[in-house]
């Protein structure tokens, strides 16, 4: 009899993404998409462009008062976004 090495499809997919260099961009995209869920619909309404550069999520906020409030909550936002994705993707959030 042959002994087969059975692997989970999730492990194989993650290994493929990692070897092809696609794991990080995928996780970054998930963080950007998770922003609206994490901050809620009220804040999402005032949110503009979002992008990640050097492990920092940059988010354009239209309302100045809301921008100040979110600046004070940066550490909590980083923790919630990373936990939503399940990996340490970003280290900081900058609102502008």
């Amino acid at each position: 009899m042959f002994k087969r090495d059975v692997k989970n499809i999730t492990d194989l997919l993650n290994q493929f993404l990692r070897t092809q260099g696609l794991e990080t961009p995928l996780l970054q995209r998930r963080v950007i998409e998770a922003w609206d869920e994490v901050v809620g619909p009220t804040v999402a309404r005032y949110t503009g462009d979002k992008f990640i550069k050097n492990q920092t999520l940059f988010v354009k906020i239209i309302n100045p008062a809301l921008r100040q409030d979110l600046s004070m909550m940066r550490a909590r936002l980083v923790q919630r976004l990373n936990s939503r994705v399940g990996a340490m993707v970003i280290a900081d959030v900058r609102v502008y």
Side-chain angles (χ1 to χ4, degrees):
M1 285 249 154
F2 293 104
K3 185 174 182 182
R4 297 180 188 224
D5 187 20
V6 179
K7 294 184 181 180
N8 188 348
I9 189 72
T10 305
D11 296 336
L12 290 173
L13 185 58
N14 287 336
Q15 180 183 359
F16 173 76
L17 289 173
R18 196 172 301 117
T19 58
Q20 297 299 315
L22 300 173
E23 183 180 36
T24 302
L26 179 63
L27 290 173
Q28 289 176 346
R29 186 69 195 158
R30 287 181 182 168
V31 165
I32 290 171
E33 290 175 355
W35 173 263
D36 292 346
E37 290 179 32
V38 169
V39 296
T42 305
V43 175
R45 190 175 4 189
Y46 294 104
T47 300
D49 297 332
K50 301 173 282 219
F51 64 93
I52 296 177
K53 183 176 183 182
N54 296 331
Q55 291 187 330
T56 302
L57 174 63
F58 292 89
V59 181
K60 182 173 185 167
I61 301 294
I62 300 166
N63 186 324
L66 184 60
R67 187 180 317 129
Q68 181 65 29
D69 289 344
L70 291 174
S71 292
M72 300 175 115
M73 298 174 46
R74 287 179 11 204
R76 192 174 340 157
L77 288 170
V78 168
Q79 187 258 336
R80 290 177 66 189
L81 287 165
N82 284 330
S83 66
R84 175 73 61 152
V85 174
M88 179 65 180
V89 180
I90 59 172
D92 196 12
V93 174
R94 301 285 174 145
V95 291
Y96 66 98

